[in-house]
Amino acid sequence: MGLPLLLLVTSLAVRSVFSCADHTKRQNDPPSSGHFLRKRQAFNNTNPVYNATDWDYNVPNDWGSIRPAYAVCQNGTQQSPIPLSLANGTSQYHTPTFENYDRNVTGNWTNWGYGPAFNLEHPPGEYTSLPSMRWDNQTGYLEGWHTHAPGEHSVDGDRARAEMHLVHVDAQGNELAVLGIMLDPGTSSLPFFAQLPALVPYVTTVRGQNPTRVPEVVPDVSMNMGLALDAVDRVSEFWTYRGSLTSPPCTEGLRWFVARSVALTSVDQMRSLLGASRYSARQEQEVWLHDVNSA
């Protein structure tokens, strides 16, 4: 007889400051049209289950030695995140423009195992109908966003309480660019977060020797992504560089944009966000061939 199923449920005091009365339906299986962020190798796209991983944010220095596929985490030349500085100014190149960000989009509201995440619904394999970000001669389509706590990029040595990553893919669904928005507590509610349902905690399920993290999924959540841009002055000032994913396999070749403006939440919103998060900030990498703010 197999070992009994042991459910270890993390009890989180999720405040209602993120809640919206229109979104109360919750289920474990997403709609078939939903597509989950592929940034994290631990995530299975066909089932909302975070499989057991062989890496952890607590020991990021060892990622490159875990398996050959992670080697670039150790020997890469454009690894992320990196430290940023106001002394060097912001970018005059690669200015992003945004299309269809101000219309409502529908997606799955969940927890990627380390914090809140939202994944836009779209037909399988079809990305060009999603909100887009354009720079130079390239176009990235917004597949979803997730948060890290604390923030992964520092500015003059200071890290934000959290950081939101808006992941953009090319027409084939390959990660192409990330827009980073730093989050800190202020005095007023942030409209971007106020439109969302209550935050989703993560649930840990242990089956024998193969632990998995099974997130709850709130399907068919509608939100306006333009409110995220409004919170940072439409990304009018930004840093940009050539970087990578910030977790294994640490794939390089991504264009990073980090807004200079910080999105300010209310104290209660920030406490709720942090309460639904686990530590998920990779140590900053040495600047090397990143071409920070370069043409």
Side-chain angles (χ1 to χ4, degrees):
M1 179 180 294
L3 292 175
L5 181 65
L6 175 62
L7 296 179
L8 302 177
V9 181
T10 303
S11 298
L12 299 173
V14 179
R15 302 287 298 272
S16 62
V17 290
F18 277 78
S19 64
C20 169
D22 292 337
H23 306 301
T24 56
K25 178 184 177 184
R26 296 174 181 240
Q27 63 186 45
N28 287 330
D29 296 319
S32 59
S33 60
H35 186 84
F36 286 82
L37 289 177
R38 296 172 299 107
K39 175 180 177 183
R40 311 297 167 184
Q41 285 243 312
F43 198 79
N44 181 331
N45 292 330
T46 61
N47 194 331
V49 174
Y50 293 86
N51 295 323
T53 61
D54 51 10
W55 59 268
D56 190 273
Y57 278 104
N58 292 319
V59 284
N61 291 332
D62 294 333
W63 287 352
S65 63
I66 293 173
R67 62 171 65 185
Y70 301 168
V72 72
C73 298
Q74 179 67 23
N75 61 25
T77 61
Q78 297 176 337
Q79 287 294 288
S80 296
I82 60 172
L84 302 171
S85 173
L86 288 171
N88 296 329
T90 51
S91 181
Q92 303 299 311
Y93 305 101
H94 314 294
T95 302
T97 59
F98 301 90
E99 295 185 9
N100 295 322
Y101 257 73
D102 292 301
R103 63 176 173 83
N104 280 359
V105 294
T106 302
N108 298 315
W109 178 231
T110 186
N111 188 306
W112 68 280
Y114 288 94
F118 183 84
N119 308 287
L120 278 70
E121 291 181 356
H122 57 87
E126 168 56 47
Y127 304 94
T128 58
S129 61
L130 296 171
S132 64
M133 177 173 67
R134 299 178 185 271
W135 69 98
D136 304 335
N137 62 346
Q138 299 195 72
T139 302
Y141 303 97
L142 179 66
E143 190 178 34
W145 61 266
H146 59 274
T147 62
H148 291 258
E152 292 202 292
H153 291 88
S154 70
V155 177
D156 294 330
D158 182 59
R159 285 180 185 250
R161 293 278 184 178
E163 186 172 322
M164 180 165 59
H165 291 169
L166 283 65
V167 181
H168 296 75
V169 299
D170 62 19
Q172 289 72 48
N174 304 304
E175 288 94 347
L176 184 64
V178 181
L179 171 59
I181 296 178
M182 301 177 196
L183 303 168
D184 263 330
T187 58
S188 301
S189 174
L190 183 64
F192 176 76
F193 283 140
Q195 67 182 324
L196 289 165
L199 290 176
V200 177
Y202 61 88
V203 179
T204 298
T205 302
V206 179
R207 296 182 178 90
Q209 301 301 312
N210 183 29
T212 60
R213 295 194 296 276
V214 184
E216 185 178 15
V217 175
V218 185
D220 303 324
V221 172
S222 178
M223 69 179 306
N224 185 339
M225 291 301 305
L227 294 177
L229 302 182
D230 291 342
V232 289
D233 196 25
R234 292 273 155 169
V235 199
S236 59
E237 292 186 277
F238 60 93
W239 293 273
T240 185
Y241 68 93
R242 299 179 185 275
S244 73
L245 301 179
T246 62
S247 67
C250 307
T251 306
E252 296 186 335
L254 279 69
R255 167 64 62 182
W256 271 89
F257 298 90
V258 181
R260 175 181 175 178
S261 296
V262 177
L264 298 179
T265 72
S266 69
V267 171
D268 282 347
Q269 284 178 327
M270 180 57 66
R271 292 185 67 191
S272 293
L273 189 156
L274 297 178
S277 301
R278 302 168 67 214
Y279 182 84
S280 56
R282 184 188 188 188
Q283 68 181 52
E284 289 181 319
Q285 306 296 295
E286 293 290 331
V287 176
W288 193 354
L289 301 182
H290 294 82
D291 296 331
V292 181
N293 294 341
S294 297

mmCIF file of all heavy atoms in Angstrom, residues 90-111:
data_model
loop_
_atom_site.group_PDB
_atom_site.id
_atom_site.type_symbol
_atom_site.label_atom_id
_atom_site.label_comp_id
_atom_site.label_asym_id
_atom_site.label_seq_id
_atom_site.Cartn_x
_atom_site.Cartn_y
_atom_site.Cartn_z
ATOM 1 N N THR A 90 19.584 56.782 -16.967
ATOM 2 C CA THR A 90 18.706 55.763 -17.542
ATOM 3 C C THR A 90 18.929 55.707 -19.050
ATOM 4 O O THR A 90 19.713 56.467 -19.609
ATOM 5 C CB THR A 90 17.236 56.077 -17.213
ATOM 6 O OG1 THR A 90 16.947 57.437 -17.566
ATOM 7 C CG2 THR A 90 16.968 55.879 -15.723
ATOM 8 N N SER A 91 18.222 54.819 -19.718
ATOM 9 C CA SER A 91 18.508 54.552 -21.126
ATOM 10 C C SER A 91 17.896 55.597 -22.061
ATOM 11 O O SER A 91 16.790 56.097 -21.824
ATOM 12 C CB SER A 91 17.976 53.170 -21.504
ATOM 13 O OG SER A 91 18.259 52.897 -22.868
ATOM 14 N N GLN A 92 18.620 55.893 -23.123
ATOM 15 C CA GLN A 92 18.125 56.711 -24.224
ATOM 16 C C GLN A 92 17.837 55.852 -25.448
ATOM 17 O O GLN A 92 17.503 56.379 -26.510
ATOM 18 C CB GLN A 92 19.166 57.786 -24.580
ATOM 19 C CG GLN A 92 19.543 58.690 -23.425
ATOM 20 C CD GLN A 92 18.354 59.470 -22.890
ATOM 21 O OE1 GLN A 92 17.609 60.080 -23.648
ATOM 22 N NE2 GLN A 92 18.168 59.434 -21.566
ATOM 23 N N TYR A 93 17.981 54.548 -25.305
ATOM 24 C CA TYR A 93 17.823 53.627 -26.423
ATOM 25 C C TYR A 93 16.778 52.550 -26.093
ATOM 26 O O TYR A 93 16.445 52.331 -24.940
ATOM 27 C CB TYR A 93 19.164 52.950 -26.762
ATOM 28 C CG TYR A 93 20.285 53.919 -27.032
ATOM 29 C CD1 TYR A 93 21.239 54.203 -26.056
ATOM 30 C CD2 TYR A 93 20.396 54.562 -28.268
ATOM 31 C CE1 TYR A 93 22.277 55.092 -26.293
ATOM 32 C CE2 TYR A 93 21.429 55.458 -28.525
ATOM 33 C CZ TYR A 93 22.362 55.714 -27.535
ATOM 34 O OH TYR A 93 23.378 56.603 -27.780
ATOM 35 N N HIS A 94 16.338 51.868 -27.153
ATOM 36 C CA HIS A 94 15.422 50.723 -27.022
ATOM 37 C C HIS A 94 14.121 51.113 -26.306
ATOM 38 O O HIS A 94 13.545 50.306 -25.564
ATOM 39 C CB HIS A 94 16.084 49.564 -26.272
ATOM 40 C CG HIS A 94 17.474 49.253 -26.740
ATOM 41 N ND1 HIS A 94 17.740 48.760 -27.997
ATOM 42 C CD2 HIS A 94 18.685 49.393 -26.128
ATOM 43 C CE1 HIS A 94 19.053 48.583 -28.133
ATOM 44 N NE2 HIS A 94 19.646 48.963 -27.008
ATOM 45 N N THR A 95 13.641 52.337 -26.529
ATOM 46 C CA THR A 95 12.438 52.808 -25.841
ATOM 47 C C THR A 95 11.235 51.921 -26.168
ATOM 48 O O THR A 95 10.891 51.738 -27.338
ATOM 49 C CB THR A 95 12.120 54.255 -26.238
ATOM 50 O OG1 THR A 95 13.243 55.077 -25.914
ATOM 51 C CG2 THR A 95 10.870 54.751 -25.500
ATOM 52 N N PRO A 96 10.585 51.361 -25.145
ATOM 53 C CA PRO A 96 9.442 50.482 -25.407
ATOM 54 C C PRO A 96 8.154 51.272 -25.607
ATOM 55 O O PRO A 96 7.949 52.324 -24.999
ATOM 56 C CB PRO A 96 9.358 49.628 -24.135
ATOM 57 C CG PRO A 96 9.870 50.543 -23.061
ATOM 58 C CD PRO A 96 10.939 51.393 -23.710
ATOM 59 N N THR A 97 7.313 50.768 -26.467
ATOM 60 C CA THR A 97 5.954 51.280 -26.620
ATOM 61 C C THR A 97 5.001 50.118 -26.395
ATOM 62 O O THR A 97 5.378 48.952 -26.574
ATOM 63 C CB THR A 97 5.724 51.886 -28.013
ATOM 64 O OG1 THR A 97 5.960 50.887 -29.021
ATOM 65 C CG2 THR A 97 6.645 53.078 -28.253
ATOM 66 N N PHE A 98 3.767 50.427 -26.000
ATOM 67 C CA PHE A 98 2.841 49.381 -25.587
ATOM 68 C C PHE A 98 1.548 49.459 -26.381
ATOM 69 O O PHE A 98 1.012 50.544 -26.609
ATOM 70 C CB PHE A 98 2.560 49.515 -24.089
ATOM 71 C CG PHE A 98 3.795 49.425 -23.236
ATOM 72 C CD1 PHE A 98 4.519 50.581 -22.924
ATOM 73 C CD2 PHE A 98 4.256 48.208 -22.780
ATOM 74 C CE1 PHE A 98 5.676 50.501 -22.157
ATOM 75 C CE2 PHE A 98 5.415 48.119 -22.017
ATOM 76 C CZ PHE A 98 6.126 49.270 -21.709
ATOM 77 N N GLU A 99 1.053 48.303 -26.782
ATOM 78 C CA GLU A 99 -0.188 48.220 -27.535
ATOM 79 C C GLU A 99 -1.148 47.256 -26.843
ATOM 80 O O GLU A 99 -0.744 46.180 -26.380
ATOM 81 C CB GLU A 99 0.071 47.759 -28.969
ATOM 82 C CG GLU A 99 0.897 48.743 -29.790
ATOM 83 C CD GLU A 99 1.037 48.317 -31.233
ATOM 84 O OE1 GLU A 99 0.345 47.355 -31.639
ATOM 85 O OE2 GLU A 99 1.842 48.935 -31.954
ATOM 86 N N ASN A 100 -2.409 47.651 -26.774
ATOM 87 C CA ASN A 100 -3.486 46.835 -26.196
ATOM 88 C C ASN A 100 -3.307 46.553 -24.711
ATOM 89 O O ASN A 100 -3.939 45.643 -24.172
ATOM 90 C CB ASN A 100 -3.632 45.514 -26.966
ATOM 91 C CG ASN A 100 -4.079 45.730 -28.393
ATOM 92 O OD1 ASN A 100 -4.902 46.601 -28.681
ATOM 93 N ND2 ASN A 100 -3.531 44.943 -29.316
ATOM 94 N N TYR A 101 -2.462 47.314 -24.038
ATOM 95 C CA TYR A 101 -2.311 47.166 -22.596
ATOM 96 C C TYR A 101 -3.509 47.732 -21.838
ATOM 97 O O TYR A 101 -3.781 47.345 -20.708
ATOM 98 C CB TYR A 101 -1.030 47.851 -22.126
ATOM 99 C CG TYR A 101 0.113 46.902 -21.839
ATOM 100 C CD1 TYR A 101 0.797 46.269 -22.873
ATOM 101 C CD2 TYR A 101 0.506 46.618 -20.533
ATOM 102 C CE1 TYR A 101 1.849 45.410 -22.625
ATOM 103 C CE2 TYR A 101 1.552 45.751 -20.265
ATOM 104 C CZ TYR A 101 2.219 45.146 -21.305
ATOM 105 O OH TYR A 101 3.246 44.279 -21.058
ATOM 106 N N ASP A 102 -4.207 48.686 -22.455
ATOM 107 C CA ASP A 102 -5.287 49.365 -21.750
ATOM 108 C C ASP A 102 -6.641 48.698 -21.912
ATOM 109 O O ASP A 102 -7.639 49.196 -21.394
ATOM 110 C CB ASP A 102 -5.360 50.821 -22.215
ATOM 111 C CG ASP A 102 -4.138 51.610 -21.762
ATOM 112 O OD1 ASP A 102 -3.902 51.677 -20.541
ATOM 113 O OD2 ASP A 102 -3.422 52.139 -22.627
ATOM 114 N N ARG A 103 -6.716 47.605 -22.605
ATOM 115 C CA ARG A 103 -7.973 46.864 -22.684
ATOM 116 C C ARG A 103 -7.953 45.752 -21.636
ATOM 117 O O ARG A 103 -6.886 45.278 -21.232
ATOM 118 C CB ARG A 103 -8.176 46.267 -24.080
ATOM 119 C CG ARG A 103 -7.137 45.231 -24.487
ATOM 120 C CD ARG A 103 -7.475 44.640 -25.846
ATOM 121 N NE ARG A 103 -6.442 43.766 -26.366
ATOM 122 C CZ ARG A 103 -6.306 42.489 -26.048
ATOM 123 N NH1 ARG A 103 -7.132 41.942 -25.171
ATOM 124 N NH2 ARG A 103 -5.345 41.761 -26.593
ATOM 125 N N ASN A 104 -9.114 45.352 -21.195
ATOM 126 C CA ASN A 104 -9.184 44.271 -20.216
ATOM 127 C C ASN A 104 -8.768 42.949 -20.841
ATOM 128 O O ASN A 104 -9.125 42.649 -21.992
ATOM 129 C CB ASN A 104 -10.599 44.143 -19.657
ATOM 130 C CG ASN A 104 -10.881 45.183 -18.586
ATOM 131 O OD1 ASN A 104 -10.016 45.984 -18.245
ATOM 132 N ND2 ASN A 104 -12.084 45.179 -18.060
ATOM 133 N N VAL A 105 -8.001 42.186 -20.092
ATOM 134 C CA VAL A 105 -7.606 40.840 -20.512
ATOM 135 C C VAL A 105 -8.113 39.852 -19.474
ATOM 136 O O VAL A 105 -8.369 40.207 -18.320
ATOM 137 C CB VAL A 105 -6.077 40.711 -20.673
ATOM 138 C CG1 VAL A 105 -5.582 41.580 -21.817
ATOM 139 C CG2 VAL A 105 -5.363 41.076 -19.372
ATOM 140 N N THR A 106 -8.238 38.615 -19.872
ATOM 141 C CA THR A 106 -8.720 37.558 -18.982
ATOM 142 C C THR A 106 -7.623 36.518 -18.805
ATOM 143 O O THR A 106 -6.898 36.195 -19.755
ATOM 144 C CB THR A 106 -9.983 36.891 -19.567
ATOM 145 O OG1 THR A 106 -10.985 37.874 -19.751
ATOM 146 C CG2 THR A 106 -10.513 35.822 -18.616
ATOM 147 N N GLY A 107 -7.530 35.997 -17.597
ATOM 148 C CA GLY A 107 -6.510 34.992 -17.350
ATOM 149 C C GLY A 107 -6.733 34.252 -16.055
ATOM 150 O O GLY A 107 -7.773 34.387 -15.397
ATOM 151 N N ASN A 108 -5.733 33.462 -15.677
ATOM 152 C CA ASN A 108 -5.780 32.644 -14.466
ATOM 153 C C ASN A 108 -4.955 33.305 -13.365
ATOM 154 O O ASN A 108 -3.770 33.625 -13.563
ATOM 155 C CB ASN A 108 -5.222 31.244 -14.760
ATOM 156 C CG ASN A 108 -6.043 30.525 -15.794
ATOM 157 O OD1 ASN A 108 -7.261 30.531 -15.748
ATOM 158 N ND2 ASN A 108 -5.375 29.906 -16.775
ATOM 159 N N TRP A 109 -5.553 33.498 -12.231
ATOM 160 C CA TRP A 109 -4.918 34.103 -11.065
ATOM 161 C C TRP A 109 -4.481 32.984 -10.138
ATOM 162 O O TRP A 109 -5.278 32.136 -9.743
ATOM 163 C CB TRP A 109 -5.925 35.021 -10.394
ATOM 164 C CG TRP A 109 -5.551 35.737 -9.139
ATOM 165 C CD1 TRP A 109 -6.274 35.744 -7.977
ATOM 166 C CD2 TRP A 109 -4.423 36.591 -8.908
ATOM 167 N NE1 TRP A 109 -5.663 36.554 -7.047
ATOM 168 C CE2 TRP A 109 -4.517 37.082 -7.593
ATOM 169 C CE3 TRP A 109 -3.323 36.977 -9.694
ATOM 170 C CZ2 TRP A 109 -3.565 37.941 -7.040
ATOM 171 C CZ3 TRP A 109 -2.388 37.837 -9.141
ATOM 172 C CH2 TRP A 109 -2.514 38.305 -7.834
ATOM 173 N N THR A 110 -3.191 32.932 -9.809
ATOM 174 C CA THR A 110 -2.679 31.795 -9.060
ATOM 175 C C THR A 110 -1.465 32.211 -8.240
ATOM 176 O O THR A 110 -1.239 33.394 -7.983
ATOM 177 C CB THR A 110 -2.338 30.633 -10.028
ATOM 178 O OG1 THR A 110 -1.969 29.480 -9.278
ATOM 179 C CG2 THR A 110 -1.227 31.002 -10.988
ATOM 180 N N ASN A 111 -0.698 31.244 -7.808
ATOM 181 C CA ASN A 111 0.547 31.462 -7.080
ATOM 182 C C ASN A 111 1.578 30.531 -7.701
ATOM 183 O O ASN A 111 1.349 29.320 -7.778
ATOM 184 C CB ASN A 111 0.351 31.154 -5.592
ATOM 185 C CG ASN A 111 1.546 31.550 -4.746
ATOM 186 O OD1 ASN A 111 2.674 31.153 -5.008
ATOM 187 N ND2 ASN A 111 1.291 32.324 -3.702
#
